[in-house]
Amino acid sequence: MATQQEKAEAFAALHHGDPFVIPNPWDAGSAKVLAGLGFKALATTSGGFAFTLGRADGSVTLDEVATHVTALNEATGLPVSVDLENGYGPAPEDAARAITRAAEAGAVGGSIEDYDRDDGELYELEPAAERIAAAVEAARALDFPFTLTARAENHLRGNPDLDDTIKRLQAYEEAGADVLYAPALLTADDIKSVCDAVSKPVNVLAFSRLGLTFAEIAEAGGQRVSVGSGLTWAAMDGLIEAAERIIDEGDFSGTATPGRVKEWL
């Protein structure tokens, strides 16, 4: 197993090489599979992890996330970045505490978003930037290079204002974020506009509605491509389809053996 310092350095270096995909496991088993397939780093998914607890996205605690991060970190030798939602509190010190706790659990990167899930509203720009600045300060206080991602949630939260999204990302870049992320951009032109407007690496969320290949996202300027909870739902859709055939038709043909999974367990 690599040390946390080594994982952190490897993860940081990925952001300055060729564009790469960082898939999102939902538990230790899926992390092992993704590592076995050859991915170079992993990122948690808040929605996928919440599902493993039988809950909706946004309903887990920082303590539960820390336990989850430790499990993923121990499952593979890959760097792990963690979706820390809004830092589990509205204040800058909440965002800072979330970064410190994630690092203690073994993560070498993490994201802070600008959406208050309790109130259902985006933070105003100035306090949102202050929260990122506090997270950056916490990251810089660590004894390894923690990669801090700042998320502008406009497009994911029903407010597809590209100008405001860019303004927010520019403010987060100025606050010291290492990576910038506006989930749910829907066109290559929007991705390019975001990437052209900032100088830090940009994470792009790939999902079915986007309809772009990895090569097309990279051509638009994306450096890091994640899939959010998409792999979780793909796996669960397969489970639902097979289980419905069992209960509706008594048909067990949709079940399978572990197959290649055995290689990674």
Side-chain angles (χ1 to χ4, degrees), residues 86 89-90 113-116 121-125 127-128 131 168:
N86 72 330
E113 65 190 40
D114 58 5
Y115 179 74
D116 189 330
E121 296 181 353
L122 294 164
Y123 296 112
E124 296 296 329
L125 179 56
R131 299 174 76 257
R168 285 172 177 270

Side-chain angles (χ1 to χ4, degrees), residues 24-28 30 43-62 64-69 72 82-85 88 117 157 228-230 232-233 236:
N24 305 81
W26 57 94
D27 61 10
S30 57
T44 71
T45 159
S46 63
F49 172 53
F51 171 79
T52 69
L53 302 176
R55 303 180 203 161
D57 192 9
S59 61
V60 302
T61 67
L62 179 55
E64 289 169 329
V65 168
T67 299
H68 176 54
V69 170
L72 295 190
V82 53
D83 179 349
L84 292 167
E85 303 183 35
Y88 308 97
R117 300 190 185 208
R157 307 298 175 181
S229 55
T232 309
W233 308 138
M236 292 309 108

Side-chain angles (χ1 to χ4, degrees), residues 156-167:
L156 194 61
R157 307 298 175 181
N159 182 41
D161 185 334
L162 188 62
D163 289 340
D164 185 63
T165 294
I166 289 173
K167 185 177 180 181

Side-chain angles (χ1 to χ4, degrees), residues 84-120:
L84 292 167
E85 303 183 35
N86 72 330
Y88 308 97
E93 51 266 32
D94 294 320
R97 182 176 61 252
I99 296 299
T100 302
R101 188 69 184 280
E104 292 171 347
V108 297
S111 63
I112 296 292
E113 65 190 40
D114 58 5
Y115 179 74
D116 189 330
R117 300 190 185 208
D118 291 331
D119 292 341

Side-chain angles (χ1 to χ4, degrees), residues 155 160 162 182-191 204-205 207-212:
H155 286 72
L162 188 62
L185 297 175
L186 288 175
T187 69
D189 287 342
D190 284 353
I191 294 170
V204 175
L205 175 66
F207 59 113
S208 57
R209 283 184 62 202
L210 179 59
L212 298 178

